[in-house]
Amino acid sequence: MKKKEAIMEQEGTDVLYVLPEGFIAEILSRTSPRDACRSSVVSSIFRSTADSDSVWERFLPSDIQLILSSSVSPFLPNFSSKKEQFLHLCDNPLLIDNGTKTLALEKCNGKKCYMIGAKELSIAWGDTPMYWNWPSRPESRFSEVAELLEVCWLEIRGKMETRFLSTNTTYVAYLVFKFKYDASGFDYEPIEVSVKLASGGRPKHGEVKSVYSKRPEETEAEGEVPVKRKADSGPEREVRKKPEADSRSEAEVPKETKTDSVPEREAPKERGDGWMELGMGEFFNERGVDGVVEMSLKEIKVLWCISGLIIEGIELRPKENL
């Protein structure tokens, strides 16, 4: 039995030897980067073909030369092969569009990943030094991040043309952020996030989620609550008197009951780059022609004063196939 299996294995190897190299390259280029790497260890016949430029060029975006020409990343190396170029773009996000966005590739399938930097987002009162600061941080891929000093009206919007994304791909939008040690106000009410397509695909809207999993220390002065002002004048607070104690007996006071309208709170997840991320929603980019994906994050109802949020950007990443 073992002799028969050895003969069959040898016959299969002989068949591989007679296949033209171009035919093997065509087969591998129709798989995925992960499969190409695996095939190189299965057989020595596949090894040289699996590492060839003709295979890995198919895994790179078709507009890679245009992307590289718009890059402002320092010290972009001269690549010795298409495989080296592919792997570099997986591990080293490329700064593009005058440093306002980054592009990276998913290592398993070569799909495009974009991050829109905070400077490219629309942030309410973002240009008002009283409410937002724009420092540089060594752990950020961008030259500046948005640092929230204090507001009562949080509204952040971003958008991306779907023609730049990989087609026939489900994307998830993530807010990439972190908190300062003295952040406050993010546990009073969940923050509303949404993702929608203006055209060019099937939308999957976001949900109402919390971006803070631990209730911070109370920082408001006694009897002081935030209130809304006109949109062009920024947030402010006013002092209101506490309501009189209820004169009814304890038995007469109705107790609060939970309702289905209370959204489930989702804790942010830690990333490997030192930031945190929160899923905002997902969408399917079908053809990617003449479409715009719009993402938003806001808390404009409760109007508590919030502070200590640091935003790096919004990342659009292909959904993992679990």
Side-chain angles (χ1 to χ4, degrees), residues 7 12 14 39 75 83 107 110 153 215 237 246 259 264:
I7 293 173
D14 291 341
S39 68
F75 312 117
K83 181 178 180 180
K107 190 171 290 186
W153 180 292
R215 189 177 185 88
R237 290 187 266 182
D246 201 318
T259 65
E264 181 181 354

Side-chain angles (χ1 to χ4, degrees), residues 14-139:
D14 291 341
V15 171
L16 292 177
Y17 271 114
V18 300
L19 289 176
E21 184 178 340
F23 185 79
I24 298 175
E26 182 66 22
I27 293 173
L28 293 177
S29 66
R30 292 177 180 271
T31 58
S32 68
R34 176 185 290 170
D35 292 333
C37 290
R38 287 173 174 172
S39 68
S40 66
V41 299
V42 171
S43 168
S44 60
I45 306 166
F46 276 69
R47 188 170 300 122
S48 60
T49 307
D51 291 339
S52 66
D53 284 353
S54 59
V55 171
W56 287 90
E57 188 172 19
R58 296 280 287 270
F59 297 145
L60 289 165
S62 59
D63 57 347
I64 185 61
Q65 294 305 320
L66 181 62
I67 292 170
L68 291 174
S69 66
S70 69
S71 170
V72 294
S73 291
F75 312 117
L76 191 63
N78 292 320
F79 303 107
S80 60
S81 66
K82 297 295 183 181
K83 181 178 180 180
E84 182 186 358
Q85 185 180 52
F86 178 90
L87 296 176
H88 179 87
L89 293 176
C90 292
D91 299 328
N92 303 274
L94 197 66
L95 273 171
I96 59 174
D97 292 353
N98 297 317
T100 61
K101 298 186 184 76
T102 62
L103 166 78
L105 301 179
E106 279 285 342
K107 190 171 290 186
C108 62
N109 53 33
K111 303 280 188 179
K112 294 178 182 177
C113 308
Y114 281 93
M115 185 184 290
I116 307 169
K119 268 294 185 183
E120 191 72 2
L121 302 176
S122 174
I123 302 177
W125 298 297
D127 56 353
T128 306
M130 183 184 301
Y131 306 125
W132 289 89
N133 187 26
W134 292 89
S136 60
R137 296 183 71 96
E139 69 272 25

Side-chain angles (χ1 to χ4, degrees), residues 210-231:
S210 168
V211 299
Y212 208 51
S213 58
K214 182 180 179 182
R215 189 177 185 88
E217 297 288 334
E218 293 287 344
T219 56
E220 299 291 341
E222 185 176 355
E224 191 177 8
V225 295
V227 297
K228 174 182 174 183
R229 290 186 67 189
K230 292 182 180 179

